[in-house]
Amino acid sequence: MSRHLKIASAQLGPLHLSDTRSSATKRLVNLLREAHGMGAKFVVFPELAFTTFFPRYWYDSQTEADSKFYEASIPSAETQPLFDEAKKLGIGFYIGYAELTQEEGRTHRFNTAILVGPDGTLVGKYRKIHLPGHAEHKPQAAFQHLEKKYFEVGNLGFRVWRFMDTITGMLICNDRRWPEAFRVLALQGAEIVALGFNTPSENLHYPEPPALRVHHHLIMAQSMAFQNATWLVETAKCGFEDGNRMFGHSVIVAPTGEIAAQSLTEEDEVICVNADIDLAANLKRTMFDFAAHRRPEHYQLIVERVGAEVTPAKGP
Ligand code: CDT
């Protein structure tokens, strides 16, 4: 009998500046119940799921941003109902939030995701490593993308956990554009990768049709899942947040690279798949048998060099 796990992606529509943590949590609980009704045992929520996507706003005062958008403890009194309901229903989940923490005698801020077991225990934590955007104020731009101002680069590495009879890893949003992130998880045996995202429909840096941005999102998801022989669950927060559009297209992709389910709206929406986890295990034994076929002795540049440098070969 092959291992199966019913996995849901619980997409969130817009959260505005005026929305409270309590109202966000209520919507997350409703999505959780809907996923439960579909038979889901593992639910993937978005990146920064309790507030609007605040890196689009410049705040002169970090103290003000801290009080508006960050979680000093998780769960907090306002977010606790989600954790209680998940435990009551016996559902494991992934959720993203802005983490404010005191470590080694100073304050740190991370864009964080956690994996919570069906019994309510904290199984794993990931702090986003690929932070897109900029740190400086761009007053001429239509909106900001200030992840480099509001967060430090994550310090926990790319890891996987034994989770609900699978090997599960976590990534966050922009990580999905970097094959290295997936490969490091796959080298630790990842059978499921969970990822939440907030992706503006417009490119801040140069004009690009919104449909092309979605196209990139989908081809990346399909190729990363296939080339690493893993289930991939990518969940959006989307729609018009105070007039700023982000696309939906939450997806659950099979290790074959096929899209098993995809959201249709830019609102609160649940999609669910009964995932055959052994499909990933089988591909890892055949097409993507890393031990048999990888040639890391020829991959040194991947870790030695950050930016591309033109270095043509000297001879034929
Ligand atoms: N949240 C996040 O990482 N969003 C980025 C936007 C990239 S454009 C600066 C993404 O990769 O979707």
Side-chain angles (χ1 to χ4, degrees), residues 2-3 183 186 189-191 222-232 253-258 276-294:
S2 62
R3 286 170 301 154
R183 186 47 57 96
E191 296 170 323
Q222 292 187 260
S223 60
M224 300 294 178
F226 176 57
Q227 290 170 341
N228 294 288
T230 153
W231 283 91
L232 173 57
V253 186
T256 53
E258 292 163 290
D276 176 355
I277 305 302
D278 284 326
L279 198 54
N282 289 341
L283 263 171
K284 285 180 202 301
R285 274 192 292 271
T286 53
M287 168 84 75
F288 292 114
D289 179 346
F290 288 173
H293 306 303
R294 290 184 76 251

Side-chain angles (χ1 to χ4, degrees), residues 19-25 50-51 67-71 78:
D19 285 325
T20 62
R21 298 282 200 294
S22 296
S23 68
T25 302
F50 296 107
T51 67
S67 67
K68 278 184 153 67
F69 303 117
Y70 291 79
E71 312 299 321
E78 285 171 299

Side-chain angles (χ1 to χ4, degrees), residues 47-48 53 55 111 128 130-134 143 145 147 172-178 196-200 202-205 213 217 220 246-247:
E47 172 192 35
L48 301 174
F53 187 64
N111 185 340
K128 186 175 182 179
H130 296 104
L131 297 173
H134 49 99
F143 58 93
H145 198 114
E147 289 196 56
I172 301 178
C173 195
N174 191 262
D175 289 324
R176 76 195 194 283
R177 302 181 191 273
W178 304 99
F197 67 96
N198 287 264
T199 301
E202 262 184 59
N203 191 326
L204 176 61
H205 303 288
R213 287 174 71 71
H217 158 70
M220 287 187 299
M246 299 188 294
F247 66 73

